[in-house]
Amino acid sequence: MTITLQIDGKEVKAESGVTVLEAARQAGVHIPTLCEHDRLMPYGVCRICCVEVEKKGRKRIVVSCGYPVENGLVVTTRSPRIDRIRKVLIELVAPTAMADGLLAGEMKKIATEYGADIHRFESRFTGKPIRCILCGKCVRYCDEVVGKQAIGFVGRGVDRRAVFFPEQARACLTCEACFNLCPTGKIAADTDFVVFDGFSVDDYSSGEL
Amino acid sequence: MTDMNDNRLSSAKQLETLRKTILSKRDAEKPIITVCTGTACQAYGSLEIYRRFVEELERQGVEGSVLETKSTGCHGFCEQGPVVVIFPREICYVRVQLDDVPEIVSTTVAGGDVIERLVYRDPNTQEAIPKESDIPFYKRQMRLVFGNNRYIDPREIDDYIALGGYAALSKALLRMTPGEVLEEIKESNLRGRGGGGFPAGLKWETTRDASTGSKYVIVNCDEGDPGAYMDRAIMEGNPHAVLEGLVIGAYAIGSHDGFVYVRQEYPIAYENTMNAIDQARDYGLLGSDILGSGFDFEVVVHRGAGAFVSGESTALMSAIEGKVGEPRMKYIRTAVSGVKGMPTCLNNVETWANVPLIIERGAGWFKSIGTEGSKGTKIFSLVGKVNNTGLVEVPMGMTLRQLIYDIGGGIPQGKKFKAVQTGGPSGGVLPEQYLDTPIDFDELTGLGSMMGSGGMVVMDEDTCMVDTARYFVSFCCDESCGQCIPCREGLRTLRDILTDICEGKGKGGDIEAIEDIAEVMEDASLCALGGTAANPVLTTLKYFRDEYEAHIKENRCPAEACKALTSYYVDPAKCSACMICLRACPTEAIHGEKGIVHWIDQEKCIKCTTCYEVCPTRFSAVRRLSGEPLPPPPAPGTKVTREKKR
Ligand SMILES: Cc1cc2nc3c(=O)[nH]c(=O)nc-3n(C[C@H](O)[C@H](O)[C@H](O)COP(=O)(O)O)c2cc1C
């Protein structure tokens, strides 16, 4: 069934069942994302793709990668409130995500576009820079698409980490499917070996990504 | 029907006959000795006390004069445990020790006399109060949900039935249609006791009206809020009340399968629930064709891993499905798509326990209690700097002041009240000016706090509000699942900023940064943990901004509580050189001798507050200083100058 909604003032038609993010893309409206991938189930943890939706006069913030379209829904993808959320989210995650004081890839683009001061909370940061924002793209791709569980999450709260399970490492040597998914550029290819942040599978022992 | 057996009740009449039979065996004149064996009293050894009573009655040859010795669930006055109450006179003994048992048996049970020594004394008036319901802590309460705990052995379904238990189920299944039951609950405006206060009837209706096919009902007994334990007390002490409510709800909704989700750390609640389910099934109050009504319902107990976040609805349902107990996006409500994608109605323990009361006495009765928007009672765990701590059940609309002063007996040691924290890590801190606020879902939310699950922590003048905010934020740092950026990174950054402020390392711009982060957490978090985790920070900032500023700008902690900003100092003009603090100091940081004024070596002082606490109040020579320079120590050998009071 086709329904009609409004995105940034434009009437947009979409198939019911698709998400607001998908509908926006079809309509040529760009919404930034970090944890979304078209072959993966919506996960909704980076929160960067948040938008404002209005229904029956009630406005609220939702993440567009998970929110299903509805007839008559009014969507705003940029507003001072949305822009501020995106800016502060990047500022908050930057100290964890940076490598050598720099952000890479999609993160860097979003930081520039939303005027995030990536050093804002740096002096307060007591954690360890892990060059990882826990978007779970690698974890979920490995699980959902490749059908393996060579990478997974451990720990909770501020100690949550994505780890690579060494006992599954052999599979990674020929797979390489999670390469180039990483928004911080942590996981990359290096000739025959899967390299996690400079460590090769063979000499990687602790398992922490 | 495979579970046919002799005990099955298959009509309302059979249930009523059973109740009369149970009562006829009980001589109302004979004493019943009840020993509280809730988790707190058990920790004080109440199980041994219970066993000693049984032995002692036999030893003294008076077991025939006693109807029964019962181990019950929690009565609520945990601070005074172990609690023993002897009915029908309701003689209440507090802080009972094993060695008191023979005397209680000979003097009170056999002799009928009260033992003054074991009776509760009002800390303010020193008056001895032998009767349990006369104790001020209980007197102002309205114990509708919680009150039966003291009459019931939770392992005996007959105790529950004797008090009219399962009569509401019988009424619902045999005399009401599912629609009528639903209407009654909607009409009562029962709101969820687990935190959000969502109207239970509306949630039931959504689940009922969602797609056809299997539906689930769940009891949420995860209770991860630090300091709250009313759900444990109900589940341990009166599990049948919760089960009865659950079956009634399932009937209204059209569900035949339920779960009770009990956190791992509640072994007694788990055991008592399992036992209650077996007993209820034996009587045909669970299983197929309940009470001959044709309605079938089964319930399974699921033990959770005891994480705070697992109490969140989507996380709890994932855990029940056998997955990791982490929240997920829920733009389709769990009432429509919950366990295995099926409509699922989740309610809190206390919410379910209210259901039989409403069905039995009617929505009109329930609505006569409480405020316009919040009906019935609410159980709170009253803790912190208050004389009487424990579980209290009060009608909605009672003011915070009545709860803290009339029931709680006020602040100990004549200290000044500073604030009350309601709602746990999602709630907020309210200052003195709001003490006359009626307890009500919407009133508390309006002030930036919330009812939450019912935690209530009282704080006195010695509590630092920045440190309080830091405590709750640190709790959530560990208890968040860590999936989404605003919650994980927001909490971490808030914690690090608040810790810096408490340590005198706050900077200009910190308050603005806190506000920025808090707002983004509220707007953008995946679940309500992150969405509300900044409330303790926002409310302390709203009501005690000057305390934040004092820390940041003047390096001063107004409560003189933050260690890094507070020094301990012996006032030479007041010191009597009595040696008390000197001897008590664990690091030998205090110098001096008899007749020679004491002084504290700041290098060695670990700021443990011992000297401050032990210095006799008639001297009050040890002072805490914050934000002001420390006077130099007295010249060596300075003699006492203080005039001795005659
Ligand atoms: C982090 C978090 C923890 C929660 N913990 C509990 C809990 O321990 N017990 C509970 O009943 N509800 C808890 N809730 C609320 C539940 O998600 C849900 O709203 C509630 O169980 C519904 O029941 P009620 O409507 O009867 O209150 C929690 C919510 C959040 C966000």
Side-chain angles (χ1 to χ4, degrees), chain A residues 43 45 47 61-63 66-67 81 84 88-89 92 96 120-121 123-124 126 133-134 156-158 160, chain B residues 307 326 331 477-485 488-489 493 496 500 507 510 516 519 523-526:
Chain A
Y43 189 45
V45 301
R47 317 303 284 175
I61 306 269
V62 300
V63 288
Y67 198 86
R81 193 170 167 199
R84 181 157 87 129
V88 175
L89 286 177
L92 283 171
T96 330
R120 182 176 180 193
F121 299 117
S123 70
R124 270 335 192 324
T126 54
I133 62 164
L134 301 169
R156 77 169 182 235
V158 297
R160 186 177 171 93
Chain B
E326 287 177 346
Y331 293 125
C477 278
D478 298 332
E479 292 296 325
S480 152
C481 70
Q483 287 185 102
C484 77
I485 293 177
R488 183 184 69 239
E489 304 300 336
T493 313
D496 294 346
D500 271 3
K507 307 188 285 216
D510 276 352
D516 238 16
E519 198 164 315
D523 274 348
S525 290
L526 172 65

Side-chain angles (χ1 to χ4, degrees), chain B residues 191-200 203 219-225 231 263 307-314 316 327 330 346-352 426 453 479 527-530 532:
Chain B
R191 293 174 67 172
R193 273 29 177 176
F198 191 81
K203 199 191 286 182
V219 179
N220 190 343
C221 186
D222 187 59
E223 201 166 50
D225 177 348
D231 293 345
R263 68 182 289 168
F308 177 57
V309 72
S310 307
E312 193 275 338
S313 54
T314 58
L316 184 144
K330 59 164 178 188
L346 173 73
N347 279 120
N348 169 259
V349 170
E350 195 183 332
T351 314
W352 289 117
S426 318
S453 53
E479 292 296 325
C527 85
L529 189 152
T532 56

